Amino acid sequence: MKPRIICLFSAALLLAACSRPENVFSIDTAAEGIPVQKTMYGLFYEDINFAADGGLYAEKVMNRSFEYDNPLQGWKTFGKVDVRDDGPFGRCPHYVRLSYAGHPARITGLENSGWFGIGVREGEKYRFSVWARTAGRESSERLAIFLCSPNTGEDVQMFGGAEIEVDSPMWKKYEVVLDSMRTESRAVLRIVLEGSDDFHSTSAVDLEHVSLFPGETFNGDPNGMRKDIAQALADIHPGLLRFPGGCIVEGNVLENRYQWKNSVGPVENRPLNLNRWSYCTFERLFPDYYQSYGIGFYELFRFAEEIGAEPLPVISCGMACQFQNDPAWPVNAPLDELQPYIQDALDLVEFANGPVDSKWGKVRADMGHPAPFGLKYLAIGNEQWGKAYPERLERFVAALRAKYPEIQLVGSSGPYLGGEWFDENWAEMRRLGCDLVDEHFYAPERFFEENADRYDDYPREGPKVFAGEYACHGTEGHKYNHFNAALVEAAFMTGLERNADVVTMSSYAPLLAHTDGWQWRPDLVWFDNLRVMRSESYWVQYLYSNNKGTRVLPLSMEGRPVAGKEGQNGLYASCVVDDATGEFIVKVANLSEEARSIRFDFGGKKFPVCKRTSLHSDGRYDCNTIDSPDLIVPVETSVNPGRDVLGAKTFAVYRFTE
Ligand code: AHR
């Protein structure tokens, strides 16, 4: 019965195709084509929306080193708990002392509820660790560790218990594995001072850097990343990883700019930084949003390497966020005080690529990676504009060119996709000889619909384009992830691909968002404490990156590129060939309300097989959610290799195989 249905269906399609005007896509298979750079489709990682602590970083304890402005933020204490500040880690000096509560029946301890709770799964193991010492007397003291359910309706609230015997007055790291017997998305971690058999008034234990990690992390790294989130990113097979932002690079003021040197070395001694996204609007205040730097530059370089992406660090150019500061305020590093910033840039290249006997190469080697990371690109400044930017950038460029002429430098075109600041910055980037210019466009649907030809007329000489932050921000109350936003992004991206000789890097932004703690949307991947949701825009990035081929070939309809222009019936298209497999790959977005009949003309070349992977939803504003993450996912079908009817409002990738 089934094949017959398919047969009838195919016949119906064929009939439909015959009755529709045909859109003929001519592909010039003999053309030399444009090489597609490895970096063409990448990821933009920034610690916004709890992307790092509480997100990609697998650590489950918030404020583990008691370094937040309120040292007990995130902690509930009971009995006698005091905060002290002469701990073993100079850049994170705080710790807590747990002492006898004054009566044998009273309990001393503390409890951490992570970020929006602690997510644990039944049957999985969790590595608890703590730096501790006995503080009262010569004997050892016991600590009881538990996971607890906040649900008071349960018979048993505590699970996964274990004990630690703190047996020395010297600071030591203690570790124990907790076996979770339950799945909870909002568990808490409880630590109780049990004392010793003769528990009495002088019992006391000091605790520092309290940590809980899943037994399994991405690639098994003990200071690692959440496996499910990292895997979603890895599945894109991005050719580029830009980090660590974004505005986070700049800081609201220079003091809380991202300083990469604070993010390397032992995690216990990485100083805390306030996250500038902790406050952006009255509506979205997150006073407990800091950066522990647990995922620091070393981890990000490693992650880039593990997922096969070129690392692209962005560093401060000595200017704090211009959106959050009045130009009249003294927020920029004066020119005669810029040297430490420039030195940070030079040292970063040494950290990434330097020999193990160089100062910063040794730091990398001591952390476990003696081989260089092979850094090729460095961006200086994020969304900067005005005279102050090129004045500073010029000095960075001179110093970097002199010492590391092989490193490609990325400058910024400012925060907007066009206009005075954009034009001025572009002119300056050319003058300074930057290799790439970072363009940002968070724009409404229309921009994406109308600008698939944006790069067709860009100069072919001079800096290349890094489309470093972009996303469709839907209008009329639709500024969130939905199918239509993804569809117009897909249409626009045919223009990035067609112009792969000008646009050599791109990345959607932002990348990650916690459903309970976001400051900005739309975002590519959403998560809560246990689950991950890949948005429709994620699938567009996934389809482009996993089908990027090696050379772009000219594809035209009636002699013109297919960019959704008049007479093109709402169609957008681009073509690449994959020289490794010999496959031809055509990407088509149909933004119209009607199905379109398409004929593929490869100039006489015939293919026996064609697979179509399409992304579609009947509802324009339909979206995947954390509870229903797979409503809109790519669907693969075999189709007629010569012609197809592509449904209305659909993005499709066709792979033609000989
Ligand atoms: O992606 C979110 C923010 O948008 C980035 O931090 C910034 O560069 C841009 O304004």
Side-chain angles (χ1 to χ4, degrees), residues 44 46 48 246-247 277 382-383 440 442 469 509-510 520:
F44 160 77
E46 175 171 24
I48 180 173
C247 292
W277 294 107
N382 177 45
E383 287 181 342
H440 293 181
Y442 297 103
E469 289 184 33
W520 181 296

Side-chain angles (χ1 to χ4, degrees), residues 245-284:
C247 292
I248 213 124
V249 170
E250 306 159 9
N252 322 84
V253 289
L254 285 176
E255 287 65 43
N256 80 322
R257 71 189 188 279
Y258 194 106
Q259 298 192 52
W260 74 267
K261 287 176 179 166
N262 289 344
S263 81
V264 297
V267 283
E268 293 87 349
N269 206 16
R270 298 183 189 173
L272 193 81
N273 195 9
L274 179 68
N275 190 308
R276 58 85 74 209
W277 294 107
S278 56
Y279 38 82
C280 25
T281 61
F282 287 167
E283 211 184 334
R284 311 208 68 76

Side-chain angles (χ1 to χ4, degrees), residues 67 108 121 189 191 231 278 291 299 323 390 402 418 477 516 635:
E67 293 300 325
T108 284
R121 286 184 192 286
L189 174 72
I191 303 163
Q231 192 58 54
S278 56
Q291 301 173 77
E299 288 76 19
F323 282 115
D516 294 340
V635 177

Side-chain angles (χ1 to χ4, degrees), residues 17 25 103 159 178 186 199 202 223 232 253 275 285 298 303 314 331 340 343 358 393 418 420 500 581 610-611 653:
F25 289 176
H103 183 285
F159 57 103
L178 311 186
R186 295 183 197 275
F199 193 36
T202 54
N223 181 50
V253 289
N275 190 308
L285 286 178
Y298 175 79
F303 185 52
V314 186
V331 289
Q343 195 58 47
S358 63
L393 183 60
E420 201 182 324
T581 62
C610 178
K611 286 231 163 73
V653 177

Side-chain angles (χ1 to χ4, degrees), residues 499-511:
N499 290 287
D501 53 339
V502 171
V503 185
T504 58
M505 295 179 173
S506 67
S507 48
Y508 178 101
L511 183 61

